């Protein structure tokens, strides 16, 4: 019986070894599953943060571009609205401002003629309201928009005034030239 007892003990020992190996393998598989889940969660968090960062960068770029475009449009619309508000039949003429040509809109009243003058002065497009006999006085002028460039051309046959500043170019239809 000692052989059978020994065989039994060996068999029992092998069963314990197999059971222990199975338990260790199951624990290893379980830990590997936990590590995989943790790794997958970490990858999702990193991708989420990366997406959030990219979205923020894209939004910042878009809003900066939009602000630049809005500022340019605002400046051009300001010039365009002023010109339209001054425009009247036979009111437009070209004058000589302190730093180049000026747009002059003359308004004829019983008390005398006065002019709305638009011209470039020290890096800004300015508006000056004065009697037509008064000299240009830039210190009394109001700044419309900061710009280093101010150019304009007038097509009398079409009644189209084209104004260019640092912010861009705008075309304005004038009644001064008979345009409707």
């Amino acid at each position: 019986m000692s052989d059978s007892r020994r065989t039994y003990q060996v068999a029992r020992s092998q069963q314990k070894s197999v059971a222990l190996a199975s338990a260790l393998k199951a624990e290893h598989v379980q830990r590997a599953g936990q590590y995989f889940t943790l790794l997958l969660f970490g990858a999702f968090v990193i991708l989420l943060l990366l997406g959030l960062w990219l979205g923020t960068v894209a939004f910042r770029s878009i809003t900066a571009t939009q602000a630049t475009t809005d500022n340019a449009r605002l400046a051009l619309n300001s010039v365009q609205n002023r010109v339209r508000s001054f425009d009247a039949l036979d009111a437009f003429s070209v004058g000589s401002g302190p730093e180049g040509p000026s747009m002059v809109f003359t308004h004829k009243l019983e008390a005398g003629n006065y002019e709305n003058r638009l011209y470039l002065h020290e890096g800004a497009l300015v508006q000056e309201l004065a009697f037509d006999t008064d000299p240009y006085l830039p210190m009394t002028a109001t700044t419309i928009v900061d710009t280093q460039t101010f150019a304009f051309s007038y097509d009398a046959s079409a009644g189209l005034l084209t104004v260019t500043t640092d912010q861009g170019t705008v075309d304005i239809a004038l009644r001064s030239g008979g345009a409707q």
Side-chain angles (χ1 to χ4, degrees):
M1 268 236 250
S2 88
D3 280 340
S4 70
R5 180 104 171 126
R6 190 176 281 182
T7 305
Y8 174 75
Q9 286 178 347
V10 168
R12 184 78 175 149
S13 174
Q14 286 177 349
Q15 285 178 344
K16 285 182 182 179
S17 295
V18 168
L20 183 60
S22 274
L24 287 174
K25 186 175 181 181
E27 185 179 325
H28 178 68
V29 168
Q30 184 180 8
R31 279 194 183 155
Q34 289 174 348
Y35 289 140
F36 177 74
T37 304
L38 186 61
L39 183 64
L40 188 61
F41 178 73
F44 281 134
V45 168
I46 289 171
L47 286 174
L48 180 66
L49 290 175
L50 181 64
L52 184 64
W53 177 74
L54 287 174
T56 303
V57 169
F59 180 75
R60 186 179 304 136
S61 173
I62 289 168
T63 55
T65 302
Q66 182 181 14
T68 302
T69 303
D70 287 346
N71 289 339
R73 188 177 315 122
L74 180 64
L76 288 174
N77 284 341
S78 178
V79 172
Q80 184 177 25
N81 289 336
R82 286 175 192 262
V83 167
R84 284 190 177 154
S85 71
F86 303 150
D87 187 29
L89 190 60
D90 296 326
F92 177 75
S93 63
V94 177
S96 181
E99 297 179 19
S102 65
M103 288 191 295
V104 178
F105 293 89
T106 305
H107 300 277
K108 298 173 180 151
L109 300 173
E110 292 176 10
N113 298 337
Y114 70 93
E115 297 176 340
N116 274 302
R117 304 167 178 163
L118 298 175
Y119 56 91
L120 190 63
H121 178 68
E122 294 181 355
L125 179 61
V126 297
Q127 171 192 346
E128 178 184 349
L129 179 62
F131 283 105
D132 62 349
T133 56
D134 291 345
Y136 283 77
L137 298 171
M139 57 256 182
T140 63
T142 304
T143 300
I144 297 173
V145 64
D146 291 331
T147 182
Q148 298 297 319
T149 305
F150 175 62
F152 61 92
S153 63
Y154 181 61
D155 179 0
S157 64
L160 188 65
L161 177 67
T162 302
V163 180
T164 302
T165 66
D166 288 347
Q167 289 77 21
T169 300
V170 64
D171 293 321
I172 308 164
L174 298 182
R175 294 179 294 242
S176 300
Q180 298 293 330

